[in-house]
Amino acid sequence: MSSFEDADTEETLTCLQMTVYHPGQQPNGIFQSIGFHKREKLPSREEVKFGRSSKVCNYTFQDRQVSRVQFSLQLFKKFDSSVLSFEIKNMSKRTSLIVDNRTLDFLHKVDLPDRCMIRFGDYQILMEKEDGVSLEFFETEFILSPRSLLQKNYWPPQNPIPEYCHSVWSSSQSTSPMETDENEL
């Protein structure tokens, strides 16, 4: 038998790809400690922490506005699934974490969808999961976006918040929305 036939089967790893953006990323070097476009292999039992403290966090942001530990990711396996899933927990007492349109306060956690937008302060992180079969390890990969992820059409636009809460309805009008000029209000 050749060594090829004796070799262990290589398992594919679940990969969490994170595209990050902050308006001050270039002049301030906020992401300088993060290795971009390099996959990093981590044990699946490890809780992955993001924040300002290099002593505690796997991935640090060079920004005093960020908490020492901003949020964490933990892997788990659902009862009815053979693939790894992630849960995200807000570890900041000062800042809420927004996962898609869901707000997480301190110590709140939620299962991470396969594709979602994470926001806190001016930070935007698009997280996309690629499934693998290994239960022992997973990978992370970071990509730096030069523009806002909300503007690059990575993410559907949020519902606009009306500037004025004036009602433009009357009882004789239909119930469908109608465009009006600002001067008509």
Side-chain angles (χ1 to χ4, degrees):
M1 260 198 210
S2 70
S3 62
F4 173 76
E5 293 171 343
D6 293 335
D8 289 336
T9 303
E10 189 174 321
E11 293 181 308
T12 57
L13 303 179
T14 298
C15 182
L16 187 62
Q17 186 179 67
M18 293 169 271
T19 304
V20 298
Y21 172 78
H22 185 280
Q25 65 195 22
Q26 294 304 333
N28 300 331
I30 289 171
F31 301 121
Q32 67 186 4
S33 63
I34 294 175
F36 290 100
H37 302 286
K38 299 175 191 167
R39 288 190 174 208
E40 183 177 347
K41 186 176 175 180
L42 299 166
S44 59
R45 64 185 154 281
E46 182 176 329
E47 183 177 19
V48 181
K49 294 179 182 169
F50 297 74
R52 178 172 39 117
S53 173
S54 60
K55 294 176 184 169
V56 178
C57 296
N58 304 73
Y59 302 107
T60 58
F61 305 119
Q62 308 298 313
D63 183 354
R64 292 191 187 276
Q65 299 298 314
V66 173
S67 295
R68 285 182 183 88
V69 180
Q70 189 71 43
F71 65 92
S72 67
L73 295 173
Q74 180 73 52
L75 272 85
F76 69 97
K77 189 174 142 193
K78 293 181 181 179
F79 285 108
D80 59 347
S81 177
S82 62
V83 296
L84 293 174
S85 295
F86 291 88
E87 68 178 13
I88 186 167
K89 184 185 339 180
N90 185 9
M91 302 296 288
S92 174
K93 292 179 182 177
R94 296 182 302 155
T95 307
S96 293
L97 186 70
I98 300 170
V99 179
D100 288 343
N101 290 321
R102 191 172 193 178
T103 302
L104 302 180
D105 292 325
F106 179 58
L107 296 181
H108 287 169
K109 65 181 181 177
V110 66
D111 291 359
L112 203 61
D114 288 347
R115 185 175 192 267
C116 63
M117 179 69 72
I118 309 297
R119 293 181 290 141
F120 60 94
D122 289 333
Y123 289 83
Q124 300 168 12
I125 306 172
L126 175 65
M127 294 192 175
E128 298 175 283
K129 183 181 84 152
E130 295 174 17
D131 286 332
V133 294
S134 175
L135 299 178
E136 298 298 318
F137 295 95
F138 72 101
E139 294 176 318
T140 59
E141 181 180 21
F142 287 88
I143 297 169
L144 182 64
S145 175
R147 284 185 236 61
S148 169
L149 298 172
L150 299 173
Q151 294 173 358
K152 284 184 75 170
N153 293 326
Y154 278 121
W155 206 246
Q158 305 296 315
N159 291 334
I161 300 171
E163 191 173 337
Y164 300 101
C165 291
H166 263 358
S167 176
V168 293
W169 309 106
S170 73
S171 58
S172 63
Q173 291 178 322
S174 71
T175 58
S176 61
M178 183 175 75
E179 190 173 317
T180 59
D181 185 32
E182 288 179 359
N183 298 329
E184 292 178 4
L185 294 176

